Amino acid sequence: MHEVGLKPRERAIIVAVVRKGTNPDIVSEHLDELEQLLDTAGADVALRIYQERVRPETATAIGTGKLQELKEFVELEHASMVVFDDELTPLQVRNLEKELNVKVLDRSGVILDIFAANARSVESKTQVELAQLEYLLPRLTRMWTHLSKQFGGIGTKGPGETQIETDRRMYRTRIQRLKEKLNQLDVQREVQRKGREGLPRFALVGYTNAGKSSLMQAISQAEVLVEDRLFATLDSTVRAFSLPNGKRALLSDTVGFIRKLPPQLVASFRSTLAETVEADVLLHVVDASNPFYPDHIAVVEETLTSLGAHSIPTILVFNKSDLVHDQFLLADLGNTYPGCIAVSAVTGHNIDVLLQRMVDVADRLSTMRSLVVPWENMQAASKIYDLAEVIERTDGDEGMSLSVKISSDKLAEFEQRFAAYLVAVPQHTTS
Ligand SMILES: Nc1nc2c(ncn2[C@@H]2O[C@H](COP(=O)(O)OP(=O)(O)OP(=O)(O)O)[C@@H](O)[C@H]2O)c(=O)[nH]1
Ligand SMILES: [Mg+2]
């Protein structure tokens, strides 16, 4: 793992508050992931603590006894921070910091910090800052400001100390400015997107570190950042590439997902994720070597649903097959997830099979168009019948109204020839 946080590395105690009877394996997996997030952000985990509760304590998340125990451990371990796996309320953070006298963060705070460290482009920097401010706004209190001045490092990066000292109104003004800036960037993006119309669009999606960018390279030879690090990719990249049948298509790579991704981030990365939401086909990339891949699949599906992208045709791609030595497991994947493909972006195994599957899906993509052809132009109507599949026809005074389904390879030619007769907004469907 690469570290991106401030040096020297911090020492953290991590805490999970779980419902009574929760499977300890699941708790341990969640804490493993939090530890990986902290490692990426530049902190070592000194100790893990977990408490079963009917519900988290309103004031302090954990009970009084556990809090005293935690306080002793903080001193004993010389911890510089305490990180909770679940979202803390601003009140809980305040009370815990007061009691423990070290910085207290939740998982969202750590993820935001990693995003802040990894953002490179103007757009991702703006998006991260917006998400940070939205996250900090309700947490802005004298106590928080006081503490953030006192402690450096994880959780206090980004907007900067001077801005944290400013009042909420200035935060709101800044939030407004950032939103306006993102809207302007949206317009530029829209122009770029218009220039690419007509080609079938594939989008890589998946849990962070699943190998999306590696597959982007394997499929389109694009130069993209590949790193064994969470959230290496924060911008979307779009590349044209050739399918095995010679037809051109577009492939996009974008930010990965994770369990409990802060909603502020999902909201501010909306335009980056537009490449995903507007794709014709999704390649859902899963790290087959991670024992918790079923959870990862569920998290990605939930996130896609929240983005409104759940009904886009999807190819489930199990990546890192070279790391799976249990052949039964690989064989079993096909039974559990019919239609999935196991590939390796590193060895190139089955990439040809994946590409062929992409051809098959692209061939089945079609787009609906509506036209009205005047009676005096019946020659055009007969050409429309040649090029497209007519789904509905109504004859009226103005002429013949047609709803047609047109395959993606003929779309550009179709739109050019019959531009004068088109009447509806395009929408992709699969047949
Ligand atoms: N062994 C093996 N490693 C792989 C494979 N695909 C990707 N990796 C490694 O997995 C790590 C993450 O790969 P990326 O392509 O950056 O993953 P990503 O999904 O784009 O990750 P983020 O952008 O951080 O969300 C890198 O160290 C890759 O070299 C594979 O098929 N086999
Ligand atoms: Mg990536």
Side-chain angles (χ1 to χ4, degrees):
M1 282 287 148
H2 297 247
E3 78 183 47
V4 292
L6 292 183
K7 287 178 182 176
R9 285 175 73 85
E10 302 211 32
R11 269 174 82 73
I13 293 182
I14 55 178
V15 187
V17 184
V18 299
R19 203 172 297 141
K20 271 205 164 64
T22 307
N23 180 346
D25 286 349
I26 294 177
V27 181
S28 146
E29 199 260 323
H30 288 198
L31 289 181
D32 281 352
E33 190 174 82
L34 183 61
E35 191 162 339
Q36 207 186 351
L37 282 164
L38 279 163
D39 181 32
T40 308
D44 296 317
V45 172
L47 191 73
R48 297 172 167 211
I49 287 182
Y50 97 87
Q51 185 176 39
E52 285 192 344
R53 293 189 64 85
V54 179
R55 72 180 73 84
E57 188 69 37
T58 313
T60 49
I62 48 174
T64 328
K66 205 73 181 172
L67 184 56
Q68 283 317 310
E69 202 180 301
L70 179 57
K71 192 173 177 174
E72 282 163 29
F73 279 126
V74 165
E75 283 161 20
L76 206 68
E77 295 287 344
H78 303 291
S80 56
M81 63 199 291
V82 173
V83 184
F84 282 69
D85 194 45
D86 281 286
E87 183 124 339
L88 294 171
T89 64
L91 175 78
Q92 288 168 339
V93 174
R94 269 201 307 279
N95 291 336
L96 286 165
E97 286 187 335
K98 204 165 156 188
E99 190 60 36
L100 299 170
N101 217 21
V102 288
K103 189 168 51 176
V104 173
L105 279 178
D106 56 17
R107 176 190 270 248
S108 291
V110 178
I111 295 175
L112 280 162
D113 206 72
I114 296 172
F115 269 66
N118 288 358
R120 294 281 171 275
S121 69
V122 174
E123 183 170 33
S124 57
K125 281 183 178 157
T126 313
Q127 288 168 325
V128 175
E129 190 183 343
L130 174 61
Q132 283 184 312
L133 293 180
E134 300 264 26
Y135 173 81
L136 287 176
L137 190 60
R139 291 165 175 79
L140 256 194
T141 62
R142 198 172 295 142
M143 184 66 192
W144 210 96
T145 309
H146 164 72
L147 283 159
S148 63
K149 260 194 291 187
Q150 191 176 332
F151 308 111
I154 300 175
T156 53
K157 234 184 326 214
E161 287 175 25
T162 46
Q163 283 179 38
I164 289 168
E165 286 160 18
T166 60
D167 63 21
R168 281 165 197 258
R169 225 172 65 211
M170 279 191 66
Y171 264 52
R172 292 215 177 86
T173 313
R174 179 81 185 142
I175 284 173
Q176 197 49 40
R177 287 263 305 281
L178 292 170
K179 283 185 175 164
E180 282 161 17
K181 194 164 160 190
L182 284 175
N183 281 340
Q184 283 166 8
L185 291 166
D186 265 5
V187 174
Q188 288 173 18
R189 192 181 271 279
E190 195 54 42
V191 172
Q192 287 172 359
R193 210 176 288 149
K194 282 246 157 56
R196 300 191 302 245
E197 263 176 14
L199 296 179
R201 292 193 280 176
F202 294 88
L204 292 155
V205 292
Y207 215 72
T208 181
N209 216 39
K212 299 175 295 297
S213 302
S214 306
L215 271 173
M216 176 90 174
Q217 280 188 346
I219 293 171
S220 75
Q221 280 81 50
E223 289 290 321
V224 283
L225 181 71
V226 169
E227 276 191 75
D228 188 13
R229 161 168 133 185
L230 305 180
F231 303 111
T233 308
L234 290 192
D235 291 292
S236 29
T237 309
V238 184
R239 287 284 178 277
F241 69 104
S242 294
L243 288 163
N245 61 1
K247 288 181 186 159
R248 301 287 283 170
L250 297 169
L251 181 64
S252 68
D253 175 28
T254 191
V255 58
F257 303 148
I258 200 166
R259 178 184 299 121
K260 302 170 196 162
L261 194 61
Q264 298 89 346
L265 272 179
V266 179
S268 66
F269 274 73
R270 187 183 39 80
S271 52
T272 297
L273 291 165
E275 298 291 350
T276 301
V277 177
E278 292 169 15
D280 300 311
V281 184
L282 300 181
L283 305 182
H284 176 170
V285 186
V286 184
D287 178 352
S289 72
N290 189 310
F292 294 98
Y293 69 79
D295 282 353
H296 295 182
I297 293 175
V299 168
V300 171
E301 286 179 347
E302 277 165 29
T303 314
L304 289 173
T305 302
S306 76
L307 291 167
H310 51 288
S311 51
I312 301 175
T314 302
I315 305 174
L316 194 60
V317 185
F318 283 97
N319 187 36
K320 309 198 189 181
S321 65
D322 57 300
L323 298 179
V324 182
H325 303 298
D326 180 352
Q327 291 311 308
F328 291 110
L329 189 125
L330 278 183
D332 213 36
L333 286 177
N335 297 328
T336 318
Y337 303 96
C340 73
I341 304 175
V343 307
S344 167
V346 165
T347 66
H349 173 71
N350 265 356
I351 298 293
D352 51 342
V353 178
L354 172 61
L355 281 164
Q356 191 50 51
R357 178 72 60 82
M358 289 163 76
V359 169
D360 297 343
V361 179
D363 280 350
R364 275 187 281 129
L365 284 175
S366 52
T367 305
M368 292 299 293
R369 287 287 186 273
S370 296
L371 314 99
V372 177
V373 187
W375 291 116
E376 57 270 27
N377 294 3
M378 276 307 105
Q379 252 189 334
S382 82
K383 286 197 188 103
I384 290 170
Y385 269 84
D386 286 346
L387 271 174
E389 184 189 344
V390 176
I391 304 296
E392 202 183 305
R393 169 185 162 171
T394 0
D395 295 346
D397 292 344
E398 293 168 41
M400 191 188 279
S401 295
L402 297 172
S403 286
V404 304
K405 205 148 105 179
I406 174 111
S407 66
S408 50
D409 54 334
K410 295 189 190 130
L411 187 64
E413 183 194 347
F414 185 90
E415 296 214 302
Q416 204 185 4
R417 283 180 73 168
F418 308 113
Y421 313 127
L422 286 170
V423 288
V425 184
Q427 229 194 358
H428 278 295
T429 58
T430 44
S431 56

